[in-house]
Amino acid sequence: MSAVHLAAPLVPDSGWDDLVAELPYGLVLHDEHGSVVVANASAAELLDLPPHHLRAGTNPPDWRLCDDSGSPVPSMPELARQIGRAGSSTTMPFVVTRADRPYRRLWADIHPVTHRGRGMILLVIRPVESEPVRCLLDPTTGLPHRALLFDRIEQSLVRARIHGTRTTLVLADLRGLGKVNRDLGFDRGDELLALLADRLRSGLRADQTVARYTGGTFAVVTDHSSGTGEHLAARIRVVAEGAGRIGDREIDPVLRTGWSTSGGDGTVHRLVSQAETRLRES
């Protein structure tokens, strides 16, 4: 993790401390270059770093921050660039290792934010055990939420490494959801999302994980023996598209898709990042 101390932090320390001192989550604000602007004590505690190490970027020699596969996570400058380009939040698992052995597992929510006219990255760090079971399911669709989705991806990658299979993640984004919300109301938009969730659940195999990724974007994770995710992406569009009645209107949903496939040598973050890139380019 790249971090530097700024002599004049954008968020005054006293006000920051008053606001976040009692929160059980770690909060770290990075500038557009990935440098730490300010962080709370919980972030240093969860990362098992003395506060001055977190701010100065001088990590202990036996300390590393890894992803779920044990590989070092991208540097904060690289993560900041990726999140800034995508313009959307993401969640990824962090594993704090000591002397090359897993010490603590964390969830990290990474959000692009604007502060005083500057694009910045807000990192929210949570211990895995703090994730209530009820938060693993999306209340609108009943599908697994991102935290559970990331765990399913991780399990699939482990199976791929052990059995020589492949893991595919497909992101399917509903076009025009914002217009439905504006014209018909958010309740009708939620009905449309629930309809698509039902179609995906019933139209795909029981061993394929269907989840709500974010907003109007769904995710599907599957194991397979060979090939890429192109066939699954096409199947998702066939299953989900087609006119449906929402309230007194007939709506014909259209999805765009992006996919990523790994033989098990990839990581959750890499798989998600590649699928997001294909989705943006579709």
Side-chain angles (χ1 to χ4, degrees):
M1 178 179 292
S2 172
V4 296
H5 174 69
L6 299 186
L10 297 182
V11 181
D13 284 343
S14 58
W16 172 267
D17 289 343
D18 290 342
L19 287 170
V20 303
E22 301 300 322
L23 293 178
Y25 306 133
L27 299 174
V28 186
L29 186 67
H30 298 267
D31 67 16
E32 63 272 31
H33 306 297
S35 301
V36 169
V37 176
V38 69
N40 69 349
S42 293
E45 181 180 352
L46 287 169
L47 291 167
D48 195 39
L49 283 173
H52 69 277
H53 277 269
L54 177 58
R55 294 211 179 182
T58 53
N59 304 328
D62 66 339
W63 184 97
R64 284 199 312 159
L65 196 61
C66 300
D67 61 23
D68 49 290
S69 73
S71 301
V73 300
S75 65
M76 279 312 306
E78 176 58 28
L79 278 177
R81 284 192 292 269
Q82 291 179 11
I83 299 301
R85 286 195 300 267
S88 61
S89 303
T90 190
T91 301
M92 64 181 295
F94 280 173
V95 180
V96 177
T97 65
R98 284 288 197 176
D100 293 325
R101 301 191 66 174
Y103 173 77
R104 178 175 294 149
R105 189 175 177 193
L106 306 167
W107 285 114
D109 300 316
I110 309 172
H111 306 278
V113 297
T114 301
H115 181 70
R116 297 184 182 177
R118 293 178 62 182
M120 310 192 91
I121 302 298
L122 178 64
L123 191 67
V124 182
I125 306 169
R126 297 169 287 124
V128 168
E129 58 269 18
S130 73
E131 190 74 33
V133 173
R134 60 182 172 82
C135 290
L136 297 181
L137 296 181
D138 171 56
T140 300
T141 62
L143 295 175
H145 220 319
R146 287 164 64 112
L148 185 53
L149 167 67
F150 277 53
D151 183 67
R152 298 286 175 83
I153 297 173
E154 178 182 2
Q155 292 178 27
S156 180
L157 287 170
V158 169
R159 289 192 295 271
R161 287 192 286 271
I162 294 173
H163 302 296
T165 54
R166 299 179 72 76
T167 294
T168 282
L169 167 68
V170 177
L171 298 179
D173 183 68
L174 172 63
R175 292 179 179 269
L177 177 60
K179 187 176 188 308
V180 172
N181 288 333
R182 287 193 303 272
D183 294 350
L184 304 180
F186 284 92
D187 288 345
R188 294 293 180 253
D190 287 348
E191 286 182 32
L192 179 57
L193 291 172
L195 171 66
L196 295 181
D198 288 341
R199 288 179 174 181
L200 291 171
R201 261 190 302 245
S202 60
L204 298 176
R205 297 198 322 252
D207 63 339
Q208 294 173 328
T209 295
V210 181
R212 187 178 182 189
Y213 184 65
T214 183
T217 305
F218 296 89
V220 179
V221 183
T222 188
D223 299 1
H224 52 106
S225 59
S226 61
T228 69
E230 191 170 3
H231 181 268
L232 178 59
R235 173 65 181 164
I236 288 170
R237 291 193 297 271
V238 169
V239 165
E241 293 180 348
R245 184 157 292 278
I246 303 298
D248 59 354
R249 297 281 192 95
E250 190 172 83
I251 295 178
D252 196 356
V254 176
L255 276 69
R256 62 191 180 104
T257 55
W259 56 267
S260 179
T261 298
S262 171
D265 54 340
T267 66
V268 173
H269 176 72
R270 193 172 303 132
L271 206 68
V272 169
S273 179
Q274 290 171 351
E276 287 179 337
T277 298
R278 270 204 175 95
L279 182 64
R280 289 194 300 272
E281 294 173 350
S282 65

